[in-house]
Amino acid sequence: MSLFRLDASIRVEGSASREIADIVEAGWREGDPAAPVVRRHLGTEPVPATAWAAAVAGSATPAAERTAEQAEAVALAATLTDELVDAEALLFAVPLYNFGVSQHFKTWVDLVITDPRMGPGAPPPLAGRPAVLVTVRGGNYSAGTPREGWDHATSWMRRILEDVWQLDLRVVEREFTLVGVNPALDSFADVAAELKQAAEREAAGHAPHLRSRGSLAA
Ligand SMILES: Cc1cc2nc3c(=O)[nH]c(=O)nc-3n(C[C@H](O)[C@H](O)[C@H](O)COP(=O)(O)O)c2cc1C
């Protein structure tokens, strides 16, 4: 039993996405305290934004002719991909920033897709692997709210994880995490508390899904 966990929050203290992902991870780990977890803290230790272009150019260049920068970027893409394909289950915790996908998560995805195992045309090595995406938003984007349709991150993340990589994905969403932080949202305290509890319940409920694959050899 092994887990790959990615966190894209730019903070550690008070991070709502980490809190929800911790619930999923704790449930996954139940009964196997020594189970290994490979972690990527993308928000606090991002992969370099310049690596993607170097990896794209490097992957189109024979290995012996790559520049040092290209060789390094191709190797980094391979390392990131190894972390994914070696894990039996995957957990992603990614907040909404500026109505779009976290730049750190996007950079990481772009780099991973330069690896020949993950690119178009290759049989997806992660197909069917159990995964959970935790996403949190400071505001509320549900139907009928003024910001309905402004979340441009979640659908893209689903496309990549579910459709391109073909993970067997469950999604936990928590909204209104800025209630209690932004005084303009104080009147939503009750609904925010309900949404938090619902997300926590859902997170705990998805833990067995992450264990569903057993071992890669199974
Ligand atoms: C720079 C920045 C931009 C943000 N942009 C949005 C946004 O566009 N929409 C939104 O609902 N919340 C936005 N938020 C709020 C975060 O989504 C919210 O605080 C979330 O809980 C952050 O994840 P974390 O708690 O795991 O750190 C933003 C926060 C920061 C720091």
Side-chain angles (χ1 to χ4, degrees), residues 2-4 6 79-92 105 108-109 112-113 115-119 122-132 160-169 209 213 216:
S2 62
L3 180 72
F4 170 80
L6 177 155
T79 300
L80 300 178
T81 301
D82 287 346
E83 291 174 357
L84 292 173
V85 298
D86 289 348
E88 284 153 355
L90 301 101
L91 173 58
F92 305 90
F105 185 66
W108 174 86
V109 168
V112 165
I113 289 176
D115 187 278
R117 290 167 288 178
M118 301 296 283
L126 304 179
R129 206 77 62 91
V132 172
I160 295 295
L161 299 175
E162 226 170 359
D163 301 323
V164 178
W165 293 353
Q166 297 184 21
L167 291 164
D168 184 1
L169 189 71
H209 169 65
R213 171 105 179 201
L216 283 179

mmCIF file of all heavy atoms in Angstrom, residues 2-4 6 79-92 105 108-109 112-113 115-119 122-132 160-169 209 213 216:
data_model
loop_
_atom_site.group_PDB
_atom_site.id
_atom_site.type_symbol
_atom_site.label_atom_id
_atom_site.label_comp_id
_atom_site.label_asym_id
_atom_site.label_seq_id
_atom_site.Cartn_x
_atom_site.Cartn_y
_atom_site.Cartn_z
ATOM 1 N N SER A 2 0.739 2.092 -1.001
ATOM 2 C CA SER A 2 1.565 3.302 -1.058
ATOM 3 C C SER A 2 0.738 4.441 -1.637
ATOM 4 O O SER A 2 -0.181 4.230 -2.423
ATOM 5 C CB SER A 2 2.806 3.065 -1.928
ATOM 6 O OG SER A 2 2.401 2.769 -3.249
ATOM 7 N N LEU A 3 1.090 5.663 -1.197
ATOM 8 C CA LEU A 3 0.314 6.841 -1.582
ATOM 9 C C LEU A 3 1.246 7.915 -2.124
ATOM 10 O O LEU A 3 2.321 8.157 -1.577
ATOM 11 C CB LEU A 3 -0.423 7.384 -0.343
ATOM 12 C CG LEU A 3 -1.300 8.621 -0.549
ATOM 13 C CD1 LEU A 3 -2.559 8.258 -1.343
ATOM 14 C CD2 LEU A 3 -1.698 9.227 0.801
ATOM 15 N N PHE A 4 0.806 8.560 -3.211
ATOM 16 C CA PHE A 4 1.434 9.798 -3.661
ATOM 17 C C PHE A 4 0.517 10.934 -3.239
ATOM 18 O O PHE A 4 -0.679 10.898 -3.522
ATOM 19 C CB PHE A 4 1.599 9.803 -5.188
ATOM 20 C CG PHE A 4 2.010 11.150 -5.712
ATOM 21 C CD1 PHE A 4 3.331 11.552 -5.644
ATOM 22 C CD2 PHE A 4 1.070 12.026 -6.251
ATOM 23 C CE1 PHE A 4 3.714 12.806 -6.102
ATOM 24 C CE2 PHE A 4 1.448 13.274 -6.715
ATOM 25 C CZ PHE A 4 2.765 13.666 -6.640
ATOM 26 N N LEU A 6 0.081 15.179 -3.209
ATOM 27 C CA LEU A 6 0.530 16.479 -3.718
ATOM 28 C C LEU A 6 -0.271 17.573 -3.016
ATOM 29 O O LEU A 6 -1.503 17.494 -2.940
ATOM 30 C CB LEU A 6 0.283 16.521 -5.226
ATOM 31 C CG LEU A 6 0.588 17.776 -6.022
ATOM 32 C CD1 LEU A 6 0.857 17.410 -7.473
ATOM 33 C CD2 LEU A 6 -0.556 18.788 -5.943
ATOM 34 N N THR A 79 11.404 11.833 -13.008
ATOM 35 C CA THR A 79 11.286 11.616 -11.555
ATOM 36 C C THR A 79 9.848 11.838 -11.092
ATOM 37 O O THR A 79 9.284 11.045 -10.326
ATOM 38 C CB THR A 79 12.229 12.591 -10.794
ATOM 39 O OG1 THR A 79 13.550 12.325 -11.212
ATOM 40 C CG2 THR A 79 12.103 12.434 -9.290
ATOM 41 N N LEU A 80 9.233 12.935 -11.570
ATOM 42 C CA LEU A 80 7.851 13.234 -11.177
ATOM 43 C C LEU A 80 6.903 12.131 -11.645
ATOM 44 O O LEU A 80 5.972 11.731 -10.941
ATOM 45 C CB LEU A 80 7.410 14.584 -11.760
ATOM 46 C CG LEU A 80 8.217 15.816 -11.338
ATOM 47 C CD1 LEU A 80 7.700 17.067 -12.040
ATOM 48 C CD2 LEU A 80 8.182 16.003 -9.829
ATOM 49 N N THR A 81 7.151 11.637 -12.842
ATOM 50 C CA THR A 81 6.302 10.574 -13.381
ATOM 51 C C THR A 81 6.514 9.271 -12.605
ATOM 52 O O THR A 81 5.540 8.552 -12.303
ATOM 53 C CB THR A 81 6.575 10.382 -14.883
ATOM 54 O OG1 THR A 81 6.311 11.621 -15.545
ATOM 55 C CG2 THR A 81 5.701 9.292 -15.481
ATOM 56 N N ASP A 82 7.761 8.974 -12.256
ATOM 57 C CA ASP A 82 8.034 7.780 -11.440
ATOM 58 C C ASP A 82 7.219 7.822 -10.148
ATOM 59 O O ASP A 82 6.672 6.806 -9.711
ATOM 60 C CB ASP A 82 9.522 7.701 -11.061
ATOM 61 C CG ASP A 82 10.406 7.305 -12.240
ATOM 62 O OD1 ASP A 82 9.869 6.836 -13.265
ATOM 63 O OD2 ASP A 82 11.636 7.484 -12.134
ATOM 64 N N GLU A 83 7.155 9.010 -9.534
ATOM 65 C CA GLU A 83 6.423 9.134 -8.265
ATOM 66 C C GLU A 83 4.951 8.753 -8.447
ATOM 67 O O GLU A 83 4.337 8.169 -7.552
ATOM 68 C CB GLU A 83 6.537 10.567 -7.732
ATOM 69 C CG GLU A 83 7.930 10.921 -7.256
ATOM 70 C CD GLU A 83 8.094 12.380 -6.855
ATOM 71 O OE1 GLU A 83 7.125 13.164 -7.003
ATOM 72 O OE2 GLU A 83 9.191 12.738 -6.408
ATOM 73 N N LEU A 84 4.414 9.091 -9.607
ATOM 74 C CA LEU A 84 3.001 8.771 -9.874
ATOM 75 C C LEU A 84 2.818 7.280 -10.167
ATOM 76 O O LEU A 84 1.946 6.628 -9.590
ATOM 77 C CB LEU A 84 2.497 9.592 -11.068
ATOM 78 C CG LEU A 84 2.369 11.102 -10.853
ATOM 79 C CD1 LEU A 84 2.027 11.793 -12.170
ATOM 80 C CD2 LEU A 84 1.307 11.399 -9.814
ATOM 81 N N VAL A 85 3.616 6.764 -11.071
ATOM 82 C CA VAL A 85 3.379 5.375 -11.512
ATOM 83 C C VAL A 85 3.752 4.368 -10.416
ATOM 84 O O VAL A 85 3.243 3.255 -10.412
ATOM 85 C CB VAL A 85 4.087 5.027 -12.843
ATOM 86 C CG1 VAL A 85 3.583 5.897 -13.973
ATOM 87 C CG2 VAL A 85 5.584 5.129 -12.743
ATOM 88 N N ASP A 86 4.606 4.790 -9.484
ATOM 89 C CA ASP A 86 4.990 3.872 -8.403
ATOM 90 C C ASP A 86 3.954 3.823 -7.283
ATOM 91 O O ASP A 86 4.047 2.979 -6.388
ATOM 92 C CB ASP A 86 6.343 4.291 -7.794
ATOM 93 C CG ASP A 86 7.496 4.020 -8.759
ATOM 94 O OD1 ASP A 86 7.276 3.326 -9.767
ATOM 95 O OD2 ASP A 86 8.607 4.525 -8.507
ATOM 96 N N ALA A 87 3.007 4.747 -7.276
ATOM 97 C CA ALA A 87 2.046 4.815 -6.167
ATOM 98 C C ALA A 87 0.791 4.008 -6.491
ATOM 99 O O ALA A 87 0.307 4.028 -7.626
ATOM 100 C CB ALA A 87 1.668 6.266 -5.902
ATOM 101 N N GLU A 88 0.271 3.347 -5.471
ATOM 102 C CA GLU A 88 -0.965 2.583 -5.671
ATOM 103 C C GLU A 88 -2.204 3.469 -5.589
ATOM 104 O O GLU A 88 -3.261 3.108 -6.111
ATOM 105 C CB GLU A 88 -1.046 1.469 -4.626
ATOM 106 C CG GLU A 88 -0.109 0.328 -4.978
ATOM 107 C CD GLU A 88 0.341 -0.449 -3.775
ATOM 108 O OE1 GLU A 88 0.031 -0.075 -2.637
ATOM 109 O OE2 GLU A 88 1.029 -1.455 -3.987
ATOM 110 N N ALA A 89 -2.056 4.616 -4.906
ATOM 111 C CA ALA A 89 -3.176 5.545 -4.766
ATOM 112 C C ALA A 89 -2.623 6.969 -4.805
ATOM 113 O O ALA A 89 -1.452 7.197 -4.481
ATOM 114 C CB ALA A 89 -3.899 5.298 -3.455
ATOM 115 N N LEU A 90 -3.475 7.908 -5.222
ATOM 116 C CA LEU A 90 -2.998 9.283 -5.406
ATOM 117 C C LEU A 90 -3.959 10.267 -4.757
ATOM 118 O O LEU A 90 -5.185 10.108 -4.859
ATOM 119 C CB LEU A 90 -2.850 9.588 -6.902
ATOM 120 C CG LEU A 90 -1.881 8.642 -7.627
ATOM 121 C CD1 LEU A 90 -2.652 7.583 -8.399
ATOM 122 C CD2 LEU A 90 -0.984 9.389 -8.575
ATOM 123 N N LEU A 91 -3.380 11.275 -4.121
ATOM 124 C CA LEU A 91 -4.166 12.290 -3.411
ATOM 125 C C LEU A 91 -3.638 13.671 -3.790
ATOM 126 O O LEU A 91 -2.440 13.938 -3.640
ATOM 127 C CB LEU A 91 -4.039 12.047 -1.895
ATOM 128 C CG LEU A 91 -4.635 13.070 -0.932
ATOM 129 C CD1 LEU A 91 -6.141 13.253 -1.171
ATOM 130 C CD2 LEU A 91 -4.390 12.620 0.519
ATOM 131 N N PHE A 92 -4.533 14.513 -4.283
ATOM 132 C CA PHE A 92 -4.151 15.853 -4.732
ATOM 133 C C PHE A 92 -4.960 16.873 -3.918
ATOM 134 O O PHE A 92 -6.184 16.741 -3.826
ATOM 135 C CB PHE A 92 -4.483 16.058 -6.216
ATOM 136 C CG PHE A 92 -3.876 15.008 -7.121
ATOM 137 C CD1 PHE A 92 -4.570 13.838 -7.415
ATOM 138 C CD2 PHE A 92 -2.617 15.188 -7.674
ATOM 139 C CE1 PHE A 92 -4.016 12.868 -8.246
ATOM 140 C CE2 PHE A 92 -2.054 14.218 -8.511
ATOM 141 C CZ PHE A 92 -2.754 13.062 -8.790
ATOM 142 N N PHE A 105 0.484 23.844 -9.718
ATOM 143 C CA PHE A 105 -0.083 22.564 -10.157
ATOM 144 C C PHE A 105 -0.026 22.465 -11.685
ATOM 145 O O PHE A 105 0.326 21.424 -12.248
ATOM 146 C CB PHE A 105 -1.523 22.441 -9.657
ATOM 147 C CG PHE A 105 -2.152 21.110 -9.957
ATOM 148 C CD1 PHE A 105 -1.677 19.951 -9.363
ATOM 149 C CD2 PHE A 105 -3.219 21.010 -10.835
ATOM 150 C CE1 PHE A 105 -2.252 18.713 -9.641
ATOM 151 C CE2 PHE A 105 -3.798 19.783 -11.120
ATOM 152 C CZ PHE A 105 -3.313 18.629 -10.517
ATOM 153 N N TRP A 108 3.453 21.712 -12.832
ATOM 154 C CA TRP A 108 3.775 20.303 -12.539
ATOM 155 C C TRP A 108 3.110 19.389 -13.573
ATOM 156 O O TRP A 108 3.749 18.476 -14.110
ATOM 157 C CB TRP A 108 3.323 19.993 -11.107
ATOM 158 C CG TRP A 108 3.451 18.572 -10.679
ATOM 159 C CD1 TRP A 108 4.550 17.967 -10.146
ATOM 160 C CD2 TRP A 108 2.417 17.573 -10.736
ATOM 161 N NE1 TRP A 108 4.271 16.647 -9.862
ATOM 162 C CE2 TRP A 108 2.976 16.378 -10.216
ATOM 163 C CE3 TRP A 108 1.092 17.569 -11.166
ATOM 164 C CZ2 TRP A 108 2.246 15.195 -10.129
ATOM 165 C CZ3 TRP A 108 0.369 16.403 -11.075
ATOM 166 C CH2 TRP A 108 0.944 15.228 -10.566
ATOM 167 N N VAL A 109 1.816 19.616 -13.856
ATOM 168 C CA VAL A 109 1.109 18.790 -14.844
ATOM 169 C C VAL A 109 1.791 18.905 -16.205
ATOM 170 O O VAL A 109 2.051 17.900 -16.879
ATOM 171 C CB VAL A 109 -0.382 19.200 -14.964
ATOM 172 C CG1 VAL A 109 -1.039 18.551 -16.181
ATOM 173 C CG2 VAL A 109 -1.154 18.824 -13.703
ATOM 174 N N VAL A 112 4.972 16.905 -16.224
ATOM 175 C CA VAL A 112 4.714 15.454 -16.222
ATOM 176 C C VAL A 112 4.326 14.990 -17.630
ATOM 177 O O VAL A 112 4.779 13.932 -18.099
ATOM 178 C CB VAL A 112 3.622 15.096 -15.183
ATOM 179 C CG1 VAL A 112 3.090 13.693 -15.408
ATOM 180 C CG2 VAL A 112 4.176 15.240 -13.763
ATOM 181 N N ILE A 113 3.509 15.796 -18.313
ATOM 182 C CA ILE A 113 3.012 15.385 -19.635
ATOM 183 C C ILE A 113 4.132 15.367 -20.685
ATOM 184 O O ILE A 113 3.990 14.739 -21.737
ATOM 185 C CB ILE A 113 1.792 16.253 -20.043
ATOM 186 C CG1 ILE A 113 0.587 15.866 -19.174
ATOM 187 C CG2 ILE A 113 1.432 16.097 -21.513
ATOM 188 C CD1 ILE A 113 -0.661 16.695 -19.389
ATOM 189 N N ASP A 115 6.820 13.760 -20.178
ATOM 190 C CA ASP A 115 7.415 12.419 -20.095
ATOM 191 C C ASP A 115 6.710 11.511 -21.111
ATOM 192 O O ASP A 115 5.477 11.514 -21.192
ATOM 193 C CB ASP A 115 7.250 11.860 -18.672
ATOM 194 C CG ASP A 115 8.001 10.544 -18.510
ATOM 195 O OD1 ASP A 115 7.441 9.488 -18.908
ATOM 196 O OD2 ASP A 115 9.133 10.569 -18.014
ATOM 197 N N PRO A 116 7.476 10.713 -21.880
ATOM 198 C CA PRO A 116 6.848 9.901 -22.935
ATOM 199 C C PRO A 116 5.776 8.945 -22.412
ATOM 200 O O PRO A 116 4.843 8.614 -23.139
ATOM 201 C CB PRO A 116 8.021 9.108 -23.523
ATOM 202 C CG PRO A 116 9.262 9.677 -22.954
ATOM 203 C CD PRO A 116 8.929 10.614 -21.835
ATOM 204 N N ARG A 117 5.870 8.549 -21.139
ATOM 205 C CA ARG A 117 4.842 7.648 -20.592
ATOM 206 C C ARG A 117 3.502 8.341 -20.411
ATOM 207 O O ARG A 117 2.460 7.692 -20.372
ATOM 208 C CB ARG A 117 5.302 7.104 -19.225
ATOM 209 C CG ARG A 117 6.447 6.145 -19.305
ATOM 210 C CD ARG A 117 7.040 5.895 -17.933
ATOM 211 N NE ARG A 117 7.795 7.044 -17.445
ATOM 212 C CZ ARG A 117 8.386 7.127 -16.256
ATOM 213 N NH1 ARG A 117 8.283 6.113 -15.404
ATOM 214 N NH2 ARG A 117 9.063 8.199 -15.908
ATOM 215 N N MET A 118 3.533 9.675 -20.261
ATOM 216 C CA MET A 118 2.318 10.404 -19.908
ATOM 217 C C MET A 118 1.764 11.226 -21.057
ATOM 218 O O MET A 118 0.719 11.856 -20.928
ATOM 219 C CB MET A 118 2.602 11.339 -18.722
ATOM 220 C CG MET A 118 3.098 10.634 -17.479
ATOM 221 S SD MET A 118 1.891 9.500 -16.770
ATOM 222 C CE MET A 118 0.795 10.659 -15.955
ATOM 223 N N GLY A 119 2.456 11.242 -22.159
ATOM 224 C CA GLY A 119 2.051 12.087 -23.270
ATOM 225 C C GLY A 119 0.946 11.473 -24.112
ATOM 226 O O GLY A 119 0.571 10.314 -23.918
ATOM 227 N N ALA A 122 0.425 7.522 -25.687
ATOM 228 C CA ALA A 122 0.910 6.425 -24.832
ATOM 229 C C ALA A 122 -0.266 5.839 -24.062
ATOM 230 O O ALA A 122 -1.177 6.584 -23.670
ATOM 231 C CB ALA A 122 1.957 6.952 -23.867
ATOM 232 N N PRO A 123 -0.286 4.509 -23.840
ATOM 233 C CA PRO A 123 -1.357 3.962 -23.009
ATOM 234 C C PRO A 123 -1.228 4.522 -21.597
ATOM 235 O O PRO A 123 -0.138 4.460 -21.023
ATOM 236 C CB PRO A 123 -1.098 2.446 -23.024
ATOM 237 C CG PRO A 123 0.242 2.254 -23.635
ATOM 238 C CD PRO A 123 0.699 3.529 -24.267
ATOM 239 N N PRO A 124 -2.290 5.134 -21.042
ATOM 240 C CA PRO A 124 -2.141 5.841 -19.764
ATOM 241 C C PRO A 124 -1.734 4.892 -18.626
ATOM 242 O O PRO A 124 -2.507 3.997 -18.276
ATOM 243 C CB PRO A 124 -3.525 6.440 -19.502
ATOM 244 C CG PRO A 124 -4.355 6.128 -20.679
ATOM 245 C CD PRO A 124 -3.631 5.190 -21.583
ATOM 246 N N PRO A 125 -0.538 5.082 -18.065
ATOM 247 C CA PRO A 125 -0.063 4.133 -17.043
ATOM 248 C C PRO A 125 -0.843 4.216 -15.739
ATOM 249 O O PRO A 125 -0.743 3.307 -14.920
ATOM 250 C CB PRO A 125 1.406 4.542 -16.829
ATOM 251 C CG PRO A 125 1.510 5.938 -17.311
ATOM 252 C CD PRO A 125 0.461 6.133 -18.346
ATOM 253 N N LEU A 126 -1.613 5.303 -15.555
ATOM 254 C CA LEU A 126 -2.356 5.449 -14.299
ATOM 255 C C LEU A 126 -3.820 5.024 -14.436
ATOM 256 O O LEU A 126 -4.597 5.172 -13.493
ATOM 257 C CB LEU A 126 -2.309 6.910 -13.824
ATOM 258 C CG LEU A 126 -0.926 7.528 -13.633
ATOM 259 C CD1 LEU A 126 -1.042 8.983 -13.196
ATOM 260 C CD2 LEU A 126 -0.122 6.734 -12.608
ATOM 261 N N ALA A 127 -4.192 4.504 -15.584
ATOM 262 C CA ALA A 127 -5.613 4.194 -15.839
ATOM 263 C C ALA A 127 -6.178 3.293 -14.741
ATOM 264 O O ALA A 127 -5.598 2.254 -14.417
ATOM 265 C CB ALA A 127 -5.760 3.534 -17.199
ATOM 266 N N GLY A 128 -7.285 3.718 -14.165
ATOM 267 C CA GLY A 128 -7.968 2.912 -13.153
ATOM 268 C C GLY A 128 -7.418 3.044 -11.750
ATOM 269 O O GLY A 128 -7.984 2.491 -10.810
ATOM 270 N N ARG A 129 -6.334 3.787 -11.595
ATOM 271 C CA ARG A 129 -5.719 3.923 -10.266
ATOM 272 C C ARG A 129 -6.621 4.796 -9.377
ATOM 273 O O ARG A 129 -7.083 5.850 -9.827
ATOM 274 C CB ARG A 129 -4.342 4.588 -10.443
ATOM 275 C CG ARG A 129 -3.281 4.312 -9.412
ATOM 276 C CD ARG A 129 -2.624 2.971 -9.549
ATOM 277 N NE ARG A 129 -1.897 2.714 -10.764
ATOM 278 C CZ ARG A 129 -0.604 2.959 -10.959
ATOM 279 N NH1 ARG A 129 0.116 3.535 -10.031
ATOM 280 N NH2 ARG A 129 -0.020 2.605 -12.089
ATOM 281 N N PRO A 130 -6.871 4.401 -8.124
ATOM 282 C CA PRO A 130 -7.752 5.214 -7.281
ATOM 283 C C PRO A 130 -7.100 6.537 -6.881
ATOM 284 O O PRO A 130 -5.912 6.559 -6.529
ATOM 285 C CB PRO A 130 -7.990 4.327 -6.049
ATOM 286 C CG PRO A 130 -6.867 3.362 -6.025
ATOM 287 C CD PRO A 130 -6.427 3.176 -7.454
ATOM 288 N N ALA A 131 -7.873 7.600 -6.943
ATOM 289 C CA ALA A 131 -7.333 8.929 -6.646
ATOM 290 C C ALA A 131 -8.415 9.797 -6.026
ATOM 291 O O ALA A 131 -9.611 9.603 -6.286
ATOM 292 C CB ALA A 131 -6.816 9.579 -7.931
ATOM 293 N N VAL A 132 -7.983 10.752 -5.216
ATOM 294 C CA VAL A 132 -8.897 11.747 -4.647
ATOM 295 C C VAL A 132 -8.312 13.131 -4.921
ATOM 296 O O VAL A 132 -7.126 13.365 -4.691
ATOM 297 C CB VAL A 132 -9.082 11.547 -3.120
ATOM 298 C CG1 VAL A 132 -9.884 12.703 -2.517
ATOM 299 C CG2 VAL A 132 -9.789 10.218 -2.831
ATOM 300 N N ILE A 160 -7.813 16.632 -16.700
ATOM 301 C CA ILE A 160 -6.473 16.029 -16.684
ATOM 302 C C ILE A 160 -6.487 14.719 -15.907
ATOM 303 O O ILE A 160 -6.034 13.669 -16.397
ATOM 304 C CB ILE A 160 -5.437 17.008 -16.068
ATOM 305 C CG1 ILE A 160 -5.286 18.253 -16.938
ATOM 306 C CG2 ILE A 160 -4.085 16.297 -15.856
ATOM 307 C CD1 ILE A 160 -4.705 18.032 -18.321
ATOM 308 N N LEU A 161 -7.006 14.762 -14.698
ATOM 309 C CA LEU A 161 -6.872 13.595 -13.808
ATOM 310 C C LEU A 161 -7.791 12.456 -14.239
ATOM 311 O O LEU A 161 -7.405 11.277 -14.209
ATOM 312 C CB LEU A 161 -7.175 14.005 -12.359
ATOM 313 C CG LEU A 161 -6.252 15.087 -11.770
ATOM 314 C CD1 LEU A 161 -6.736 15.499 -10.386
ATOM 315 C CD2 LEU A 161 -4.810 14.594 -11.698
ATOM 316 N N GLU A 162 -9.002 12.810 -14.642
ATOM 317 C CA GLU A 162 -10.017 11.793 -14.922
ATOM 318 C C GLU A 162 -9.986 11.341 -16.374
ATOM 319 O O GLU A 162 -10.072 10.156 -16.671
ATOM 320 C CB GLU A 162 -11.396 12.412 -14.639
ATOM 321 C CG GLU A 162 -12.305 11.555 -13.844
ATOM 322 C CD GLU A 162 -13.547 12.317 -13.405
ATOM 323 O OE1 GLU A 162 -13.710 13.522 -13.703
ATOM 324 O OE2 GLU A 162 -14.381 11.676 -12.755
ATOM 325 N N ASP A 163 -9.867 12.304 -17.277
ATOM 326 C CA ASP A 163 -10.006 11.983 -18.702
ATOM 327 C C ASP A 163 -8.664 11.733 -19.383
ATOM 328 O O ASP A 163 -8.534 10.795 -20.163
ATOM 329 C CB ASP A 163 -10.771 13.105 -19.424
ATOM 330 C CG ASP A 163 -12.150 13.307 -18.825
ATOM 331 O OD1 ASP A 163 -12.768 12.303 -18.446
ATOM 332 O OD2 ASP A 163 -12.593 14.461 -18.706
ATOM 333 N N VAL A 164 -7.682 12.555 -19.097
ATOM 334 C CA VAL A 164 -6.381 12.368 -19.758
ATOM 335 C C VAL A 164 -5.607 11.238 -19.085
ATOM 336 O O VAL A 164 -5.143 10.311 -19.739
ATOM 337 C CB VAL A 164 -5.560 13.685 -19.758
ATOM 338 C CG1 VAL A 164 -4.198 13.462 -20.405
ATOM 339 C CG2 VAL A 164 -6.328 14.789 -20.496
ATOM 340 N N TRP A 165 -5.501 11.280 -17.764
ATOM 341 C CA TRP A 165 -4.729 10.249 -17.058
ATOM 342 C C TRP A 165 -5.583 9.042 -16.663
ATOM 343 O O TRP A 165 -5.060 8.027 -16.215
ATOM 344 C CB TRP A 165 -4.056 10.856 -15.817
ATOM 345 C CG TRP A 165 -2.983 11.850 -16.181
ATOM 346 C CD1 TRP A 165 -2.509 12.115 -17.445
ATOM 347 C CD2 TRP A 165 -2.245 12.696 -15.294
ATOM 348 N NE1 TRP A 165 -1.527 13.077 -17.384
ATOM 349 C CE2 TRP A 165 -1.344 13.451 -16.078
ATOM 350 C CE3 TRP A 165 -2.262 12.901 -13.911
ATOM 351 C CZ2 TRP A 165 -0.470 14.388 -15.526
ATOM 352 C CZ3 TRP A 165 -1.389 13.823 -13.361
ATOM 353 C CH2 TRP A 165 -0.502 14.552 -14.161
ATOM 354 N N GLN A 166 -6.895 9.209 -16.789
ATOM 355 C CA GLN A 166 -7.845 8.106 -16.562
ATOM 356 C C GLN A 166 -7.783 7.523 -15.154
ATOM 357 O O GLN A 166 -7.952 6.308 -14.956
ATOM 358 C CB GLN A 166 -7.678 7.025 -17.627
ATOM 359 C CG GLN A 166 -8.007 7.562 -19.006
ATOM 360 C CD GLN A 166 -7.947 6.514 -20.092
ATOM 361 O OE1 GLN A 166 -8.045 5.317 -19.832
ATOM 362 N NE2 GLN A 166 -7.798 6.944 -21.319
ATOM 363 N N LEU A 167 -7.525 8.391 -14.198
ATOM 364 C CA LEU A 167 -7.596 7.954 -12.798
ATOM 365 C C LEU A 167 -9.041 7.663 -12.424
ATOM 366 O O LEU A 167 -9.975 8.239 -12.985
ATOM 367 C CB LEU A 167 -7.041 9.054 -11.890
ATOM 368 C CG LEU A 167 -5.535 9.291 -12.009
ATOM 369 C CD1 LEU A 167 -5.140 10.626 -11.388
ATOM 370 C CD2 LEU A 167 -4.779 8.149 -11.344
ATOM 371 N N ASP A 168 -9.207 6.761 -11.461
ATOM 372 C CA ASP A 168 -10.537 6.496 -10.906
ATOM 373 C C ASP A 168 -10.725 7.519 -9.779
ATOM 374 O O ASP A 168 -10.333 7.287 -8.636
ATOM 375 C CB ASP A 168 -10.575 5.053 -10.386
ATOM 376 C CG ASP A 168 -11.949 4.668 -9.890
ATOM 377 O OD1 ASP A 168 -12.874 5.508 -9.962
ATOM 378 O OD2 ASP A 168 -12.098 3.535 -9.391
ATOM 379 N N LEU A 169 -11.278 8.671 -10.139
ATOM 380 C CA LEU A 169 -11.204 9.873 -9.299
ATOM 381 C C LEU A 169 -12.459 10.122 -8.475
ATOM 382 O O LEU A 169 -13.583 9.992 -8.970
ATOM 383 C CB LEU A 169 -10.962 11.094 -10.206
ATOM 384 C CG LEU A 169 -10.638 12.409 -9.499
ATOM 385 C CD1 LEU A 169 -9.237 12.367 -8.895
ATOM 386 C CD2 LEU A 169 -10.755 13.592 -10.457
ATOM 387 N N HIS A 209 -11.921 4.161 -0.790
ATOM 388 C CA HIS A 209 -11.703 4.156 -2.242
ATOM 389 C C HIS A 209 -10.203 4.127 -2.553
ATOM 390 O O HIS A 209 -9.757 3.406 -3.455
ATOM 391 C CB HIS A 209 -12.364 5.375 -2.865
ATOM 392 C CG HIS A 209 -11.976 5.602 -4.294
ATOM 393 N ND1 HIS A 209 -12.303 4.714 -5.302
ATOM 394 C CD2 HIS A 209 -11.258 6.594 -4.888
ATOM 395 C CE1 HIS A 209 -11.815 5.163 -6.446
ATOM 396 N NE2 HIS A 209 -11.172 6.289 -6.226
ATOM 397 N N ARG A 213 -7.441 -0.449 -4.478
ATOM 398 C CA ARG A 213 -6.608 -1.149 -5.452
ATOM 399 C C ARG A 213 -5.735 -2.240 -4.804
ATOM 400 O O ARG A 213 -5.187 -3.084 -5.488
ATOM 401 C CB ARG A 213 -5.722 -0.122 -6.154
ATOM 402 C CG ARG A 213 -4.664 -0.684 -7.023
ATOM 403 C CD ARG A 213 -4.998 -0.557 -8.492
ATOM 404 N NE ARG A 213 -3.919 -1.103 -9.285
ATOM 405 C CZ ARG A 213 -3.700 -0.816 -10.544
ATOM 406 N NH1 ARG A 213 -4.497 0.008 -11.159
ATOM 407 N NH2 ARG A 213 -2.713 -1.362 -11.197
ATOM 408 N N LEU A 216 -0.193 -2.917 -6.319
ATOM 409 C CA LEU A 216 -0.059 -2.843 -7.774
ATOM 410 C C LEU A 216 0.036 -4.225 -8.393
ATOM 411 O O LEU A 216 -0.360 -4.451 -9.525
ATOM 412 C CB LEU A 216 1.191 -2.049 -8.140
ATOM 413 C CG LEU A 216 1.071 -0.525 -8.014
ATOM 414 C CD1 LEU A 216 2.385 0.135 -8.383
ATOM 415 C CD2 LEU A 216 -0.049 -0.004 -8.882
#
